[in-house]
Amino acid sequence: MDSVKRLISLLTHLILAGAVSYAQPQTSNGVTYLMNEAVDVSQDFRELGNILFLADHLESFDVATGEGLVNWQRHQLVPRQAFNTNLRQPQRLRMLDFPGTAYENNPSYRFSIDFVSPRTVRIRMLTTIVDPGENPDEIMLAGPVPSSDAWTGSETEEAVTYRSEYGQIEIEKNPWRIVIKDAEGKVLTETAAIRDNRSSQVKYTPFSFIKRGRDNARLINPVFRLAPSEMILGCGESATALNKAGQKVHLYVTDPQGPETDQMYKPIPFFMSDRGYGMFMHTSAPVTCDFGASYIGLNKLFMGDENLDLFIFLGEPKDILDEYTSLVGKTQMPPLWSFGTWMSRITYFTQEEGYDVASKIRENKYPCDVIHFDTGWFDVDWQCDYKFSPKRFSDPAKMLADLKDMGFHVSLWQLPYFSQKNVFFPELVEKGLYVKNGNGQLPQEDVVLDFSNPETVKWYQDKIAGLLKIGVGAIKVDFGEGAPLDGQYASGKSGWYEHNLYPARYNKAVADITREINGENIIWARSAWAGSQRYPLHWGGDASTDDTGMIGTLHSGLSFGLSGFSFWSHDMGGFVRSTPEELYCRWLPFGFLTSHTRAHGAPPTEPWLYESEEVQNVFRKSAEMKYRLMPYVYAQAKECTEKGLPMVRAMFIEFPDDPGAWKVDDQYLFGSQILVAPLFEEGTTSRTVYLPGGKWIDYQTGKVYNPGWHQIEADGELPVIMLVRDGSALPHIALAQSTTDMDWSKITVKVYNTSGKASTGLFCLPSDGKLQKFTVQGSKISGITGTNAKVSR
């Protein structure tokens, strides 16, 4: 132990004395880069000192194997003056490399196409002769990539074409170009070539890769055509407008301090287009997507990776999400109790507070299933040691058991960073379980757990297991966005490739041990990357306590759902300060009409601590509504896990042929049959709502609306507009204060129908997990088994 103390003392002395060397601060567009800001990969492609290689022609190709060579022509960006304006322009370059016999001026590298399913194609390209092969430590994909024989290939002098019943992939030979078409032959998108520049005065850079002058690193930039008015959606939990066309989106995990900026806790390298295709960039390196921001007709994917591994999906949004989540893994079904209310704040500090909150919830009849202890359940606030403070929790195991008897599960906060004052800091340093710098030492002040190290995972899971074994129900997987970019990881990779993977490894570590000990799929995480969707669930971070935070939260949830995640939550009312009563009342119904519902943030969050009876009533009635709707919620959630769909659902997923449904991003579908339009402005009681498809029926008042635009008054008990799709049958259950007390042997099916035709719905018993599709005609229900169901109108 003394040697560890001496090591820590020496490290501290060296840091203070400036003896430990650090890399010079990076700059981005002339501005000093601050730690953990999003990386703009596109800036490297503007540097005049880099060598540029443009995809030129198909040198060779075998139709049967789908493999060949693409020739890349050497260029360099040079300034071009025109009337006192300097612009960058690609120009052919003659190689000056020495010895000239060792290198190629215009190299040819491997290119391949594989067929994963009738709707999914995989395109891979190398920028070196070294093939990295498959990654043995793969975490983004759910398993080995399947192959499909549904595609047939043919060849002419001009092109190679592959066809399935859902589309076509055409590989033009000279200039080299990939053309993506639907089944009827309509071009959905295609790659851009240098010869396309002839019709434009703006001399953009087409499909290319660079060899960076400062280190010879290679970075690839696939460039595709963007059609007029084309819409791009997805890319993770983004708070900006749902349509990303015209935006530059950085796919780099950050802590943006809330859902109000262009940076993200949960960027996902996947997007879809309203033209009928989607793309998954299989990389963990930083990516900057320029969706028509710098040139309105191009989709430029600036990737920090030296190779391209791109999956292309064909179909409507539901098809694309199903294909994508079949590849990366679908969300697992979380336990029933997780869909109930989570009561929390910053923070409960004592065992007595836990009992008091539980009794107040039950006294005041606020349906609830979870009590969360945030940063203060250990001795020192924010200093996690995985132990309940003995000064403030006399018998935590008994408390957990008592709360369980009252119908409450308990969630606990923790994080993967350890400051120098944390009790585990010396042990973690001694055992080398942290992310290191190039010198094998700490890259920053805190220890950051290295989840690419199996020994670290074991150490960490042992700590979490100790809590789960005494009765804890869920672990809050907070932070995870700060993995050092310049760190060295046990995987053998640098932070350039591990930073974005860190949340997926972190999520997995907690989810795996929770499943092992408790047998349930449940975490409560803030950060994510591709692969994290297999480990539910995630919440939206620290929203501002105002209308901006509210609309940013909805945008984030919708975009997250369009990126392969079925479940999501957020802090109702915002996180930063005590929520004003009027705002809380508008936000609460939105929060309860989300797959998972949590009251959290600066106190008070508890409704009984508000003087206003309106807050208390809106909270109670919102919770009661969700608990009565629990059979609908649970069945819809089950379908989401089977099809890769989100519970908080963009309108166009259900109505892909309605142009209006694609343009609305301030309302949503809760599952497939309920439309929700929150009130986003102070003092409003009505708003404009777009209704796609057929008629809609107000859940609260029974009013009927035709499709189209409407100004609708929120004149029910709750300050929200909530409509049910005509022809829907929604299963309900008798109100209970906890999901533990729900009687699933008696189900009431409420019918919303203006035509007299059969109504349809979904049902799933938690006891068997089997999804049932049922119909209602008159008073007869067909398709529901295992319960006594009756019709109510």
Side-chain angles (χ1 to χ4, degrees):
M1 195 64 184
D2 289 341
S3 63
V4 175
K5 289 180 178 177
R6 286 196 297 272
L7 172 62
I8 294 171
S9 177
L10 176 61
L11 282 171
T12 304
H13 173 76
L14 290 172
I15 290 169
L16 291 174
V20 177
S21 63
Y22 292 92
Q24 291 298 312
Q26 302 175 29
T27 61
S28 179
N29 205 22
V31 179
T32 300
Y33 173 80
L34 295 178
M35 183 171 67
N36 207 30
E37 283 185 321
V39 173
D40 186 350
V41 185
S42 69
Q43 294 302 316
D44 275 323
F45 288 81
R46 294 170 54 84
E47 291 291 336
L48 301 182
N50 296 334
I51 307 298
L52 184 67
F53 293 87
L54 307 185
D56 190 73
H57 63 271
L58 192 65
E59 185 165 297
S60 64
F61 195 78
D62 186 326
V63 179
T65 63
E67 295 184 3
L69 295 174
V70 170
N71 181 260
W72 302 81
Q73 295 288 310
R74 185 179 294 247
H75 287 70
Q76 188 170 28
L77 290 179
V78 296
R80 172 181 178 264
Q81 177 183 293
F83 296 100
N84 299 310
T85 298
N86 283 345
L87 300 171
R88 293 171 176 82
Q89 180 171 319
Q91 180 172 291
R92 284 188 181 273
L93 181 67
R94 189 171 188 81
M95 182 181 73
L96 298 177
D97 296 0
F98 182 84
T101 55
Y103 306 100
E104 296 287 340
N105 192 75
N106 300 316
S108 295
Y109 295 124
R110 183 170 175 261
F111 159 68
S112 66
I113 183 167
D114 298 287
F115 303 100
V116 179
S117 77
R119 292 187 184 274
T120 302
V121 174
R122 184 183 196 181
I123 294 172
R124 285 180 281 187
M125 302 184 77
L126 303 183
T127 64
T128 173
I129 61 172
V130 179
D131 188 340
E134 297 294 340
N135 181 7
D137 188 31
E138 175 60 55
I139 191 172
M140 287 180 278
L141 303 180
V145 177
S147 60
S148 170
D149 59 2
W151 294 75
T152 58
S154 60
E155 183 174 13
T156 66
E157 289 186 7
E158 291 78 27
V160 174
T161 302
Y162 292 95
R163 292 181 173 85
S164 80
E165 63 176 306
Y166 298 111
Q168 304 173 34
I169 303 294
E170 188 173 279
I171 306 166
E172 295 182 1
K173 296 181 179 180
N174 195 0
W176 177 85
R177 190 192 308 275
I178 295 175
V179 184
I180 302 170
K181 300 180 180 180
D182 66 13
E184 285 70 45
K186 175 187 174 183
V187 174
L188 304 179
T189 188
E190 61 185 14
T191 57
I194 188 65
R195 300 178 203 185
D196 303 337
N197 257 335
R198 295 170 182 169
S199 62
S200 172
Q201 188 152 293
V202 178
K203 303 305 178 186
Y204 55 78
T205 302
F207 199 114
S208 59
F209 75 86
I210 60 169
K211 186 172 74 170
R212 202 160 53 190
R214 68 175 183 264
D215 56 6
N216 276 6
R218 289 168 160 81
L219 310 177
I220 197 163
N221 177 211
V223 179
F224 290 85
R225 290 284 177 195
L226 198 63
S229 301
E230 182 174 355
M231 301 181 72
I232 300 291
L233 306 108
C235 289
E237 192 190 51
S238 170
T240 59
L242 206 57
N243 178 16
K244 303 307 175 195
Q247 299 183 38
K248 181 186 277 190
V249 181
H250 302 299
L251 303 181
Y252 181 84
V253 176
T254 66
D255 177 358
Q257 307 289 298
E260 298 92 31
T261 75
D262 64 343
Q263 301 194 26
M264 291 181 269
Y265 300 108
K266 310 173 188 68
I268 306 297
F270 165 84
F271 63 88
M272 68 176 74
S273 164
D274 65 339
R275 290 175 66 81
Y277 69 90
M279 292 185 180
F280 169 53
M281 295 161 279
H282 182 214
T283 181
S284 59
V287 178
T288 294
C289 299
D290 183 329
F291 296 122
S294 60
Y295 188 84
I296 63 172
L298 293 179
N299 173 1
K300 306 175 185 177
L301 307 177
F302 296 100
M303 300 173 67
D305 208 323
E306 62 266 33
N307 301 313
L308 175 66
D309 190 1
L310 184 69
F311 291 87
I312 299 170
F313 312 99
L314 301 174
E316 294 186 342
K318 282 187 176 181
D319 303 319
I320 292 170
L321 285 172
D322 191 30
E323 292 286 312
Y324 168 61
T325 54
S326 293
L327 182 71
V328 298
K330 288 180 165 58
T331 302
Q332 300 298 302
M333 190 69 177
L336 173 65
W337 57 262
S338 73
F339 293 94
T341 310
W342 295 53
M343 184 62 71
S344 176
R345 64 150 65 181
I346 294 284
T347 175
Y348 302 131
F349 284 100
T350 68
Q351 181 170 302
E352 287 68 28
E353 279 185 289
Y355 280 118
D356 181 62
V357 169
S359 64
K360 288 288 197 304
I361 290 170
R362 294 296 180 241
E363 265 176 45
N364 291 283
K365 296 191 180 300
Y366 298 108
C368 184
D369 273 77
V370 184
I371 294 175
H372 173 71
F373 289 84
D374 213 60
T375 64
W377 56 278
F378 16 78
D379 258 348
V380 181
D381 194 15
W382 293 95
Q383 292 292 330
C384 180
D385 60 5
Y386 306 104
K387 294 178 183 177
F388 283 92
S389 170
K391 301 172 186 174
R392 292 178 273 111
F393 292 85
S394 58
D395 193 341
K398 182 178 186 302
M399 179 194 73
L400 294 169
D402 289 345
L403 294 180
K404 190 75 172 289
D405 289 341
M406 296 175 69
F408 295 106
H409 291 74
V410 168
S411 166
L412 296 180
W413 177 92
Q414 54 80 65
L415 79 172
Y417 313 146
F418 295 80
S419 73
Q420 295 175 18
K421 293 184 178 181
N422 189 286
V423 66
F424 288 118
F425 184 89
E427 178 185 351
L428 292 166
V429 170
E430 182 178 25
K431 293 180 177 178
L433 303 181
Y434 58 94
V435 179
K436 300 175 176 63
N437 64 14
N439 198 30
Q441 299 178 353
L442 286 173
Q444 52 201 44
E445 290 177 295
D446 293 352
V447 158
V448 176
L449 291 178
D450 183 355
F451 288 111
S452 76
N453 184 347
E455 291 302 312
T456 303
V457 174
K458 183 180 184 305
W459 180 92
Y460 175 71
Q461 288 182 331
D462 284 347
K463 305 301 181 193
I464 299 298
L467 298 167
L468 298 170
K469 287 175 180 177
I470 65 170
V472 172
I475 299 297
K476 182 174 176 179
V477 187
D478 205 359
F479 294 96
E481 305 92 359
L485 180 63
D486 57 355
Q488 300 296 316
Y489 293 73
S491 64
K493 298 179 181 179
S494 73
W496 189 255
Y497 289 94
E498 282 289 346
H499 172 89
N500 281 337
L501 274 185
Y502 194 90
R505 295 190 188 279
Y506 180 27
N507 294 172
K508 183 179 187 300
V510 180
D512 285 353
I513 193 63
T514 302
R515 189 183 305 109
E516 179 184 326
I517 303 296
N518 288 352
E520 295 177 329
N521 300 305
I522 184 69
I523 64 174
W524 190 275
R526 189 173 78 173
S527 57
W529 184 254
S532 292
Q533 75 290 330
R534 299 193 296 271
Y535 314 113
L537 56 104
H538 298 77
W539 100 100
D542 303 341
S544 62
T545 314
D546 52 28
D547 291 345
T548 299
M550 188 178 179
I551 188 62
T553 293
L554 178 56
H555 285 169
S556 297
L558 287 172
S559 189
F560 196 49
L562 292 170
S563 306
F565 288 74
S566 293
F567 307 123
W568 171 81
S569 186
H570 61 270
D571 295 343
M572 295 187 296
F575 171 83
V576 179
R577 63 185 178 92
S578 178
T579 310
E581 293 177 355
E582 191 272 344
L583 175 63
Y584 208 14
C585 286
R586 285 188 286 114
W587 201 318
L588 284 167
F590 164 37
F592 279 96
L593 291 169
T594 303
S595 72
H596 291 78
T597 301
R598 184 172 78 153
H600 179 70
T605 57
E606 304 84 356
W608 60 88
L609 295 180
Y610 278 83
E611 294 182 3
S612 166
E613 287 191 11
E614 184 181 7
V615 171
Q616 298 173 34
N617 289 335
V618 171
F619 195 108
R620 183 183 297 106
K621 290 181 184 301
S622 296
E624 289 175 348
M625 173 186 64
K626 185 175 186 181
Y627 274 61
R628 289 190 177 101
L629 270 170
M630 197 59 72
Y632 171 83
V633 173
Y634 195 78
Q636 292 285 329
K638 180 64 175 178
E639 183 183 44
C640 287
T641 65
E642 294 181 357
K643 297 183 177 180
L645 295 169
M647 277 292 286
V648 173
R649 192 170 304 178
M651 306 291 292
F652 63 80
I653 293 180
E654 292 295 327
F655 301 95
D657 297 326
D658 186 332
W662 288 85
K663 299 184 184 302
V664 178
D665 64 2
D666 63 353
Q667 60 185 63
Y668 64 97
L669 292 168
F670 182 46
S672 62
Q673 296 176 302
I674 295 176
L675 185 153
V676 182
L679 301 175
F680 288 106
E681 294 188 42
E682 183 177 357
T684 58
T685 59
S686 68
R687 55 159 291 175
T688 302
V689 181
Y690 181 73
L691 304 180
K695 294 182 178 180
W696 293 81
I697 302 163
D698 194 306
Y699 182 84
Q700 300 187 83
T701 68
K703 292 180 182 177
V704 178
Y705 297 91
N706 290 317
W709 291 99
H710 295 270
Q711 185 71 24
I712 298 180
E713 188 76 23
D715 52 4
E717 286 188 320
L718 300 176
V720 68
I721 293 157
M722 179 180 174
L723 308 173
V724 183
R725 202 169 173 176
D726 192 18
S728 297
L730 308 185
H732 288 65
I733 199 167
L735 179 63
Q737 295 302 304
S738 166
T739 57
T740 306
D741 298 326
M742 289 180 174
D743 183 1
W744 287 81
S745 68
K746 298 175 183 177
I747 297 297
T748 298
V749 177
K750 295 188 178 181
V751 174
Y752 299 83
N753 195 312
T754 64
S755 68
K757 297 179 181 178
S759 299
T760 60
L762 296 174
F763 180 71
C764 181
L765 277 172
S767 58
D768 65 20
K770 295 179 181 177
L771 188 63
Q772 304 176 36
K773 297 180 180 180
F774 68 89
T775 60
V776 178
Q777 185 69 64
S779 60
K780 183 181 178 182
I781 302 175
S782 302
I784 291 183
T785 60
T787 186
N788 179 23
K790 64 179 182 179
V791 175
S792 172
R793 296 181 186 275

